[in-house]
Amino acid sequence: MPANPFNGYTDYGIGIGLRIPHYDHILERKPTVDWFEIISENFMVDGGRPLEVLDRILAQYRVVQHGVALYFGSADGPNKAHLKKLKALTKRTKTPWLSDHLCWGSADGTYSHDLLPMPYTKAAAKKTAANIRMVRDYLELPIAVENVSSYTEFHVSEMTEWEFLSEVVERADCGVLLDVNNIYVSSKNHGFNPYDYLDNVPHHRVAQMHIAGHTKFEKYILDTHDHPVLDPVWQLYAHAIRQCGVTATLLEWDDKIPSFDEVHNEALKANAFIAQARAAKIPAPKGRATAKR
Amino acid sequence: MPINPKSKPFAPAKVASTAELADLQRAMWRVVSRPLTGGSRMQRRWTDGRPTSAVAGEIAKPNDRLTSFERLEIYNRMYWFRVLDSLYDDCPGLRAVLGDKRFIALAEAYLVKYPSGSFTLRNLPSRLAKFIREAPRHTKPHTALCHDLARFEWARVEVFDTAARPVFTMDDLLDVPAAKQGKLKLALQPYLQLLRLEYPVDDFILAVKQREAELLRGDASNAPSALRKLRERKTKLPRPARTHVAIHRLDGRIYFKKLEPAAYRILVALRAGKTLEQALVTGIPRAKQARADWAAKVQGWFRNWMELRWLCRR
């Protein structure tokens, strides 16, 4: 949905990730961009160039925070020092919502710096939802959780990935950052129908969408974020916005990053699908939308 | 190979509680963080002699294209590529001394002993100098040089994004009555790093950076023979020489500045909370030069430090 409790009732358009190779272009030329997504952890520092650049960006643009290390699914639970730094950053950016991944990545205080997949069980969903609620209550912000791309499945899983995502977000009463590329990547790696996934997530909770490029190998697909968006992902995106409504959309391009204009133009291709969805005049999805701040 | 029935289960058979979730995550983390083989593959044997495929088989399902081993191997490789790449980028000086192969071996041994304890890869090299001291076999016969380089390269990370405080200005100084200026306690910017080194690694790092820049330019040129010569020409290792260096930042850029030993001692004393008077007494050697010579020199240092915004308000 364009504006809902899970994205702070905002109606953001098409954004791109703020990346170092584009800093000079953005600061000097001030291109028109709906919004930038920042990786929270890159700016959870006490000073220096990262914060100087961020402050200059904040003076000109809308910024949304996206994290890679909250690890909502970690059995250890959220790290308090991390949360304290994160909250200080949210005060600076005034992000209307905050997203991170439905994954784990640390064990007993050591960090993998990866987005590791969850076992899809009721107990894991319950613990993950409790972690999300704790983070939301501490940060006092709407939270959206992003589905990750994955390369393995666990014997212990009791449900599909979309059932697990739904179980978590319903229990946590939070939003979804629907990563369409990740759905595609995982569908190929695990052999499910990506449209089944899209049709069965709680559409009214979708706060934002991600699109990105990926790389095909002989036996699996890797979520590399180093290419333009491929056609099957655009088709999934078109289906997603028909189901969920036109939602804040962000292109991720994190490796082999081309010029700012090339990245931005790739993101703006989403406009064609948005126009089709608007023309179809599909009613907004209904649901129990009661997100807490 | 069948699993030995006496082997303890490696991973839980179900996840019906947070404790079982923790057990599964711990089991997968052990697989993911185990060092790769020389050919960058997942090790075929587990630590207890079992085939790793048996361990992986307890955690992950196979599919029609990949075995459990192969599916977990993707994560195992991604983990090591990510952390090693990060250290590789942060440590150009260490790489230049050790060469890529020995550097990777050092980095891997370091990360086995000190895996990341931070949410950010920025902090990955924070304990590398300590490790080099603890395990000199990875760096001999250049352990002292490598120790200096690890300290220097970590200091550069710290300078980049540590906090800055309001700068101490001439007006602030004039606000202090002349009679009390000796008792003044000046603070140094938190980002300013002061290092006392056994080798002039600041010059070495500049030479390494210059060579890397030439190589990059060479890659873009059409002169393969010149590029080959450049690749073959290694940066000359420095000889031992006690060196004092400040690493600082100005307008978002990082700089190194050599310090005279007395200047270094004064700055260290100020950082330790000594008054200006105490810092000068600590820093300046007794009766080697006329007081007037020192006065001019010290005034010059302070003027320069204020221009570089090193002094800040307490």
Side-chain angles (χ1 to χ4, degrees), chain A residues 62-268:
Chain A
R62 301 186 291 194
V63 164
V64 176
Q65 279 182 234
H66 177 57
V68 293
L70 268 175
Y71 299 142
F72 288 133
S74 171
D76 294 343
N79 177 301
K80 301 241 165 45
H82 183 132
L83 283 179
K84 200 173 166 192
K85 279 179 178 272
L86 187 57
K87 184 156 186 170
L89 185 64
T90 64
K91 299 286 179 202
R92 194 178 202 114
T93 64
K94 297 181 175 59
T95 184
W97 75 95
L98 181 137
S99 61
D100 207 310
H101 299 83
L102 185 55
C103 72
W104 66 282
S106 63
D108 301 325
T110 56
Y111 285 73
S112 68
H113 303 286
D114 200 353
L115 308 172
L116 300 173
M118 294 297 298
Y120 306 137
T121 76
K122 284 263 185 196
K126 203 171 154 187
K127 174 62 180 168
T128 306
N131 288 344
I132 294 168
R133 282 177 176 272
M134 191 192 295
V135 170
R136 183 189 57 209
D137 292 348
Y138 182 80
L139 297 179
E140 301 174 285
L141 274 171
I143 301 288
V145 290
E146 177 183 350
N147 55 296
V148 297
S149 49
S150 61
Y151 313 105
T152 193
E153 299 160 290
F154 295 99
H155 287 297
V156 296
S157 287
E158 301 159 351
M159 57 184 99
T160 63
E161 184 184 332
W162 56 91
E163 286 167 344
F164 181 75
L165 172 65
S166 304
E167 179 81 19
V168 168
V169 297
E170 293 294 346
R171 278 178 179 272
D173 192 15
C174 70
V176 175
L177 194 178
L178 199 63
D179 190 312
V180 178
N181 179 59
N182 287 350
I183 293 174
Y184 181 80
V185 168
S186 293
S187 76
K188 292 294 167 194
N189 288 338
H190 307 315
F192 62 77
N193 181 345
Y195 290 88
D196 284 347
Y197 195 126
L198 283 179
D199 290 345
N200 287 291
V201 291
H203 302 132
H204 65 286
R205 290 187 179 276
V206 175
Q208 183 194 331
M209 291 186 194
H210 270 172
I211 46 176
H214 57 254
T215 305
K216 288 180 185 175
F217 292 90
E218 190 188 340
K219 294 182 177 179
Y220 59 93
I221 296 182
L222 266 190
D223 180 28
T224 46
H225 296 185
D226 61 353
H227 281 76
V229 181
L230 292 164
D231 192 53
V233 176
W234 281 124
Q235 298 311 318
L236 271 182
Y237 174 71
H239 187 76
I241 56 175
R242 281 197 298 272
Q243 295 277 26
C244 306
V246 175
T247 304
T249 296
L250 182 118
L251 171 72
E252 294 182 295
W253 201 320
D254 298 315
D255 204 3
K256 298 177 196 160
I257 300 174
S259 70
F260 175 87
D261 287 336
E262 195 173 330
V263 173
H264 195 207
N265 288 338
E266 182 66 19
L268 293 177

